[in-house]
Amino acid sequence: MNKRYLRIAIVALAISGTAHANAENSASLQAINSCRSIANPSERLLCYDKAADKLKLAEVAGDIVVIDREQIRKTRKGLFGFNIPRIPFLSSNGDDRAQQAQDAQLETIITARRSLGYNLWRLTLAEGGTWETTDANVHLDPTVGSKIVIKRGILGNYVAKIDPVPLVRLRRVN
């Protein structure tokens, strides 16, 4: 038996064990789960081998994609500020309050700036997002390399702290 397939099966078991009961599992993961109920060890191993082969074929075909938490974190960070629908694998499960607090703000660096006139600015951030200030009455002169902390405001607004200005309203444009 190929040890790589066994590792894939174990990882798939771990993933499927944490999935919601009502989530739509693929046939490949359901096949692995069904192997757990087989009492005879040699038959169970044969079942896992077949299921792991199915899972590997699904991965090669692109039917199943495995992503880790770090990739999810980077994707969430890059999408901060966009009004997107809830995507199950990008949403936190509600149990991790620290993750929810982290998702409510973005701490990054300004990599480019452009004056839009009338004391409004377009800022490009390290994560690749582009934001524009909406407060013309706040005197702001952001510098490249400055730290910026953007937080979700009320009613879909965003506020940012860019030293030395305490708060300025922003909107995501790209």
Side-chain angles (χ1 to χ4, degrees):
M1 180 181 110
N2 190 340
K3 289 185 180 184
R4 183 172 185 211
Y5 289 142
L6 181 60
R7 279 184 264 168
I8 291 172
I10 291 170
V11 169
L13 278 174
I15 291 171
S16 65
T18 60
H20 296 290
N22 61 354
E24 294 179 18
N25 288 333
S26 71
S28 301
L29 289 178
Q30 288 175 357
I32 288 176
N33 282 332
S34 67
C35 294
R36 297 173 72 186
S37 63
I38 298 174
N40 185 332
S42 60
E43 289 178 14
R44 186 171 53 245
L45 182 59
L46 182 63
C47 180
Y48 277 132
D49 285 344
K50 288 180 184 177
D53 287 340
K54 243 178 143 178
L55 184 64
K56 183 61 180 170
L57 289 174
E59 181 189 27
V60 169
D63 295 333
I64 292 179
V65 177
V66 179
I67 57 175
D68 62 13
R69 289 184 194 273
E70 183 61 23
Q71 289 171 314
I72 291 172
R73 188 189 66 74
K74 284 182 181 178
T75 302
R76 268 196 223 137
K77 206 171 187 181
L79 292 174
F80 184 84
F82 283 125
N83 189 11
I84 58 172
R86 287 228 173 250
I87 301 172
F89 66 89
L90 289 179
S91 301
S92 57
N93 61 8
D95 296 335
D96 190 358
R97 296 203 188 278
Q99 182 64 46
Q100 288 178 345
Q102 186 179 9
D103 289 346
Q105 72 177 26
L106 174 67
E107 290 185 41
T108 188
I109 304 294
I110 298 172
T111 57
R113 70 182 190 141
R114 190 179 106 196
S115 175
L116 300 175
Y118 302 103
N119 207 22
L120 298 174
W121 293 88
R122 176 171 289 158
L123 307 172
T124 303
L125 307 181
E127 278 71 32
T130 304
W131 294 75
E132 289 180 353
T133 61
T134 60
D135 283 339
N137 56 352
V138 175
H139 181 67
L140 180 68
D141 190 15
T143 57
V144 172
S146 294
K147 179 180 172 184
I148 181 171
V149 179
I150 304 172
K151 295 182 179 183
R152 292 184 198 275
I154 57 172
L155 301 174
N157 291 315
Y158 294 87
V159 293
K161 179 171 182 355
I162 308 169
D163 288 328
V165 177
L167 289 177
V168 63
R169 286 191 203 105
L170 298 172
R171 68 182 174 102
R172 174 101 186 234
V173 292
N174 180 342

